Amino acid sequence: MPLYKQQQGCNNKPTLVFLHGFLGCSNDWNETIVHLKEHFHCIAIDLPGHGLSVTTSSPLDDGFNYCHRLIKNIIDELNINKYVLIGYSLGGRLALDYARTQQDPRLSTLLLESSHIGLIDEQSKERRFMQDYSWAKIFATASMLETLSTWYDQDIFSNLSMQQKETLINKRVHNYGVPLANMLLATSLGKQQCALPYLQETKLPVYYCVGEKDKKFKKIAKQLDNLENIVVSEFSQVGHNIHQEDALQFAQFLIKNLK
């Protein structure tokens, strides 16, 4: 089943393809795209189990490749001959693995926002998959309100105020638990191949964006600091979700670097 996508901006301008994070949807990019519409052709996609792609589910044993095919189908369908792929968190992990595996000559630039590059050793991957499996059981069985309250108590969201967390919970509470659980397992970080060797060798221009308050992902960014084709950029006064916390700052960065 095809993924839902929305298009904004000018067809004759450079194309940006946006992939949202876990629990999100294509609308998460709207505040950013408002500032970009004059400069770009923007395509925002709902990933499987999310938004209006909620009835599309990824197979548990081949989640990454399945998502890649669906994303590529959209690019083929719209006759895009050159594009920048932009992904946040889960969307960034999918975008990175897409660039690593698909070798799509139309892909001109990769931009990763707060995205993990993959775990190296098998023990870490196994631990992470079991952690995601525990979360998946909660998403599949508990109320969405209760699950989200627990989800946003994680350390990675510690920079958010109680009001910001409540706003996010109210925004996400209409999600469906079982499709999210499926996507969490199908695209678990425990199943992602470490992309560091790819990033060390690729000639593709890559931007890695991280929030000043995001301690975990600043450590990941440090691994990429000296790589030839990767530009690491830190965004001031924001945490994990840069484009939602400061859409204007993020959009200005895209205009400056991707036009």
Side-chain angles (χ1 to χ4, degrees), residues 93-107:
R93 294 197 293 108
L94 286 170
L96 175 56
D97 201 64
Y98 180 99
R100 185 184 67 82
T101 60
Q102 301 304 303
Q103 305 299 312
D104 187 348
R106 299 168 296 180
L107 176 59

Side-chain angles (χ1 to χ4, degrees), residues 135 144-154 165 169:
W135 273 113
M144 186 55 61
L145 183 61
E146 180 184 339
T147 303
L148 290 174
S149 298
T150 309
W151 180 263
Y152 286 114
D153 271 343
Q154 294 182 92
K165 288 181 182 180
I169 289 168

Side-chain angles (χ1 to χ4, degrees), residues 11 51 67 78 80 85 94 102 116 138 146 149 158 176 201 204 208 219 222 238-239 247 259:
N11 285 349
C67 290
L78 297 176
I80 305 299
L85 188 57
L94 286 170
Q102 301 304 303
H116 209 295
I138 295 169
E146 180 184 339
S149 298
S158 62
Y176 296 92
E201 296 170 5
L204 182 73
Y208 189 89
K219 290 178 183 175
K222 281 186 178 177
V238 292
K259 272 186 71 176

Side-chain angles (χ1 to χ4, degrees), residues 201-214:
E201 296 170 5
T202 185
K203 301 302 180 188
L204 182 73
V206 179
Y207 291 91
Y208 189 89
C209 302
V210 65
E212 177 188 5
K213 300 178 182 179
D214 190 350

Side-chain angles (χ1 to χ4, degrees), residues 187-205:
T187 58
S188 169
L189 180 58
K191 292 186 174 182
Q192 179 180 336
Q193 186 165 328
C194 181
L196 186 57
Y198 165 77
L199 291 169
Q200 289 168 335
E201 296 170 5
T202 185
K203 301 302 180 188
L204 182 73

Side-chain angles (χ1 to χ4, degrees), residues 109-164:
T109 304
L110 178 66
L111 190 145
L112 307 173
E113 176 191 350
S114 309
S115 304
H116 209 295
I117 61 172
L119 300 169
I120 296 173
D121 64 277
E122 292 305 314
Q123 282 186 327
S124 297
K125 289 181 179 181
E126 181 64 26
R127 278 197 303 271
R128 177 54 186 252
F129 184 78
M130 294 313 298
Q131 181 184 333
D132 286 342
Y133 183 78
S134 297
W135 273 113
K137 285 200 293 186
I138 295 169
F139 273 102
T141 58
S143 76
M144 186 55 61
L145 183 61
E146 180 184 339
T147 303
L148 290 174
S149 298
T150 309
W151 180 263
Y152 286 114
D153 271 343
Q154 294 182 92
D155 285 346
I156 199 167
F157 303 112
S158 62
N159 73 292
L160 299 177
S161 67
M162 287 303 296
Q163 185 176 352
Q164 287 173 311

